[in-house]
Amino acid sequence: MRAFIFPGQGSQKVGMGSELAEASVAAREVFGEVDEALKQKLSALMRDGPDDQLTLTENAQPAIMANAIATLRVLEQDFGVKLAEKGGCVAGHSLGEYAALCAVGAFGLADTARLLKLRGQAMQAAVPLGEGTMAVLLGADIDQAKALAEAAAQGQVCEVANDNDPSQVVISGHTAAIERAVGLVKDFGIKRGMILNVSAPFHSSLMAPAAARMAEALGETPPAAFTLPIYANVTAARVDDPEEERALLVEQVTGRVRWRESVLAMRADGVESFVELGGKVLGPMVGRIDKDAQVASLVTMADLEAFAKEIA
């Protein structure tokens, strides 16, 4: 069985999607529809920058989704590889869960773009700039990260945000607490801690105001039935029911991205290969989680052509 997976924030870069847009009508149609939905020339920002504007979470979130869905549409329309025929399930990392849901028909493209724009704005507004941040812990497993976060909190918020793979965990919370945690890494047998260049403490309890806004938005635009099951971030388990998934998307704003466990759950359920669309971030993570898993990361036209030939 094959899983199609969709990257999250941090995979954006100036120039993303440009080659696909030049080569494919299918890609240009995706970028045009997203621009129209947002009443914003997001495609121009993706193509030309500036980088500091693309990195803003309210722009990065819909941009990463648009690039992933454009990659999927090119694969389907230009190379004849249909996700519903060649895939057994989908999953996405953080905002990538929305891209995954769009890919399987739970949300239309325009609605997905608007939801992610709002999600980015809500997350940014939840905590005043400078009061919260995140850090990546390298050479840390989940138990080490939990122990470190608990020790560093000292009455503030310091929580595990992303359990990415066996050697990389991200923590999130109040800036002072995260800085304390980075200073304590050696005491917990962790190789290195680095503050991330992010504008808010995503996937922590400080995001509660953003979760409330997303609950309202998803009440107005709930996911419809999807053509393939999705593995949800916060449960690392298969979901088939749209109403269950709606509730999990709200919980995801403050909850941990359990990516390592999600990959292991998919493997246990029979997934042998993972195909990342629109990025080269999740593929390496999957390889570190399970060295026996087959992995492909599709970004360029050449990537898509080679993949289509391989599975023909």
Side-chain angles (χ1 to χ4, degrees):
M1 188 163 66
R2 182 180 293 110
F4 284 89
I5 57 178
F6 296 80
Q9 201 151 334
S11 58
Q12 74 280 352
K13 64 177 181 178
V14 173
M16 63 192 296
S18 296
E19 186 207 9
L20 297 183
E22 288 172 10
S24 171
V25 171
R28 290 196 294 275
E29 287 177 346
V30 169
F31 296 135
E33 187 174 343
V34 170
D35 284 353
E36 175 62 28
L38 299 181
K39 301 293 186 276
Q40 174 190 3
K41 273 290 186 182
L42 184 65
S43 59
L45 182 60
M46 293 165 65
R47 184 182 65 242
D48 302 324
D51 183 66
D52 62 336
Q53 291 298 305
L54 181 59
T55 302
L56 289 175
T57 189
E58 67 174 85
N59 293 326
Q61 294 201 29
I64 291 163
M65 180 279 299
N67 186 54
I69 296 300
T71 307
L72 172 63
R73 295 280 174 85
V74 172
L75 185 64
E76 291 192 322
Q77 295 180 31
D78 294 13
F79 295 102
V81 177
K82 304 297 184 186
L83 182 143
E85 296 171 2
K86 299 296 185 180
C89 63
V90 295
H93 190 284
S94 189
L95 76 91
E97 191 163 342
Y98 285 80
L101 287 163
C102 180
V104 294
F107 294 122
L109 177 59
D111 282 338
T112 310
R114 286 188 285 262
L115 284 167
L116 284 174
K117 183 80 172 178
L118 174 63
R119 184 176 182 268
Q121 291 170 336
M123 288 175 136
Q124 190 59 67
V127 179
L129 199 62
E131 288 191 13
T133 193
M134 305 174 78
V136 61
L137 306 177
L138 301 175
D141 63 26
I142 187 66
D143 292 330
Q144 288 171 305
K146 283 180 181 176
L148 171 64
E150 187 176 334
Q154 296 181 22
Q156 292 183 307
V157 171
C158 186
E159 298 165 352
V160 173
N162 302 349
D163 178 9
N164 285 334
D165 66 43
S167 65
Q168 186 192 106
V169 180
V170 176
I171 55 174
S172 181
H174 286 110
T175 300
I178 298 300
E179 289 172 346
R180 280 194 297 271
V182 169
L184 290 169
V185 291
K186 300 294 187 190
D187 295 347
F188 288 82
I190 296 168
K191 183 178 177 182
R192 190 179 179 195
M194 293 187 297
I195 302 288
L196 294 174
N197 183 23
V198 295
S199 53
F202 306 128
H203 299 292
S204 76
S205 53
L206 295 175
M207 289 286 107
R213 287 187 68 185
M214 291 311 296
E216 184 179 337
L218 288 162
E220 295 170 355
T221 309
F226 20 103
T227 55
L228 292 177
I230 187 165
Y231 282 72
N233 283 182
V234 295
T235 59
R238 171 179 167 145
V239 181
D240 297 274
D241 176 55
E243 184 56 28
E244 180 186 358
E245 177 61 17
R246 185 194 66 77
L248 293 175
L249 287 174
V250 175
E251 190 179 337
Q252 188 222 60
V253 178
T254 56
R256 182 187 309 164
V257 176
R258 295 168 62 181
W259 185 251
R260 177 184 60 84
E261 293 173 88
S262 295
V263 171
L264 292 175
M266 286 184 271
R267 288 288 280 151
D269 289 346
V271 171
E272 296 178 342
S273 66
F274 294 80
V275 182
E276 179 180 7
L277 293 169
K280 293 182 182 288
V281 177
L282 299 181
M285 286 184 192
V286 171
R288 290 190 291 270
I289 294 165
D290 188 334
K291 292 179 173 58
D292 294 326
Q294 300 169 28
V295 178
S297 293
L298 310 182
V299 175
T300 66
M301 291 296 287
D303 293 336
L304 292 165
E305 184 176 10
F307 177 73
K309 286 179 178 176
E310 181 186 321
I311 67 168

